Amino acid sequence: MSSIPSQTQRILEFAVRLAQEAGRITLEHFGKAPAAETKGDGTPVTAADRAAEAFLRQRIEAQYPQHGILGEEYGESRPGASIRWILDPIDGTRSFLRGVPLFAVLLGVEIEGWPSVGVAHFPALGETLAAGRGLGCWWNGRPARVSEVSQLRHAAVLTTDPVLLLEEPLRGGWERLAREAGLVRTWGDAYGHALVATGRAEVMVDPVLSPWDAAPFLPILSEAGGRFTDLGGQERLDGRSGLSTNGWLHPQVLELLAP
Ligand code: IPD
Ligand code: CA
Ligand code: CA
């Protein structure tokens, strides 16, 4: 790496600090039975989600006033900017509400439309996964790498809510995949994608995903040697679904899941 940090590297380092600072805000509320409201889309939100996103936006706007921001709780600012931050202040709000530590602060940064930086920070676990295009993927400062498992019968397959996969047209594909897998577990939300990127699981399937749920995982999986696509096999953040694998298993999983 050159001694002059690239733009991507500077943004990555800033994003890691921000995610960890926002994580501290979430921990002030975690385990204290925070009150939740239900949003228009039926998902819960707490004062912690709003405080963490407000903090992130204020810090990004102070540092990079020309950058755009898309956040789950406060929407889009400066649409059309060449660099766009995509924020999920708390991914796994349902875990957070129940005192389960598998929630994350997610930050993704698109540069000229290309997902280039990703940070997934798990405040209650003390885990940070961070990647920049061409800069590698790092897990608490050590290189993160997907597993080498190339057979589904040895693979751990994860999802968030299996009920969603038992609806048509996904049901048949999910049943085929689950039958062939060595292990199926619901270590879901962002943590499922993080487990794949760090070689602790091989496949994470989520049929319902927004751009802020997906944003960090395109750079994270590709820099860790794996793949992140939607369930149609496209590398995109707005495909409304997500599939992370260690790369070896990606074609087979897409084929099995195809309706
Ligand atoms: C949820 C998680 C989950 C996905 C849902 C999201 P939230 O995020 O990312 O994995 O399946 O669609 O709503 O609401 O906890 O930030
Ligand atoms: Ca989310
Ligand atoms: Ca959220």
Side-chain angles (χ1 to χ4, degrees), residues 14-34:
F14 180 62
V16 168
R17 283 201 303 278
L18 281 192
Q20 292 175 341
E21 286 173 35
R24 284 194 274 279
I25 295 173
T26 67
L27 289 178
E28 288 166 15
H29 302 253
F30 181 59
K32 297 180 183 159

Side-chain angles (χ1 to χ4, degrees), residues 131-186:
R133 290 272 173 197
L135 298 172
C137 181
W138 303 88
W139 176 25
N140 285 1
R142 288 177 293 142
R145 196 73 200 159
V146 295
S147 80
E148 297 285 328
V149 172
S150 59
Q151 292 178 311
L152 260 180
R153 66 194 168 93
H154 298 307
V157 172
L158 314 178
T159 191
T160 301
D161 180 353
V163 171
L164 298 173
L165 288 160
L166 293 173
E167 287 172 11
E168 297 304 345
L170 290 165
R171 182 185 184 108
W174 171 248
E175 285 177 347
R176 283 191 292 278
L177 175 61
R179 263 198 299 272
E180 292 209 18
L183 178 71
V184 177
R185 286 293 182 271
T186 50

Side-chain angles (χ1 to χ4, degrees), residues 5-209:
S6 65
Q7 180 188 51
T8 307
Q9 196 177 339
R10 285 195 306 271
I11 290 176
L12 173 61
E13 285 166 10
F14 180 62
V16 168
R17 283 201 303 278
L18 281 192
Q20 292 175 341
E21 286 173 35
R24 284 194 274 279
I25 295 173
T26 67
L27 289 178
E28 288 166 15
H29 302 253
F30 181 59
K32 297 180 183 159
E37 284 167 41
T38 303
K39 294 190 284 186
D41 64 359
T43 63
V45 62
T46 70
D49 299 66
R50 293 194 175 118
E53 184 169 325
F55 164 82
L56 291 168
R57 297 182 87 105
Q58 181 247 316
R59 289 290 307 275
I60 295 163
E61 275 159 12
Q63 180 77 13
Y64 295 117
Q66 71 282 23
H67 289 188
I69 304 176
L70 171 66
E72 177 173 8
E73 310 305 342
Y74 292 113
E76 179 133 39
S77 60
R78 265 167 251 103
S82 62
I83 298 183
R84 178 167 79 148
W85 293 71
I86 305 179
L87 315 176
D88 187 345
I90 298 183
D91 178 84
T93 299
R94 290 176 177 88
S95 293
F96 179 79
L97 278 169
R98 288 173 176 271
V100 174
L102 306 182
F103 66 93
V105 177
L106 303 182
L107 272 70
V109 183
E110 289 176 322
I111 301 179
E112 306 293 349
W114 190 242
S116 300
V117 165
V119 179
H121 172 57
F122 299 87
L125 299 177
E127 286 188 46
T128 307
L129 199 52
R133 290 272 173 197
L135 298 172
C137 181
W138 303 88
W139 176 25
N140 285 1
R142 288 177 293 142
R145 196 73 200 159
V146 295
S147 80
E148 297 285 328
V149 172
S150 59
Q151 292 178 311
L152 260 180
R153 66 194 168 93
H154 298 307
V157 172
L158 314 178
T159 191
T160 301
D161 180 353
V163 171
L164 298 173
L165 288 160
L166 293 173
E167 287 172 11
E168 297 304 345
L170 290 165
R171 182 185 184 108
W174 171 248
E175 285 177 347
R176 283 191 292 278
L177 175 61
R179 263 198 299 272
E180 292 209 18
L183 178 71
V184 177
R185 286 293 182 271
T186 50
W187 304 325
D189 299 318
Y191 201 52
H193 301 284
L195 290 174
V196 175
T198 51
R200 293 175 285 176
E202 282 67 41
V203 177
M204 166 67 191
V205 184
D206 200 322
V208 183
L209 228 56

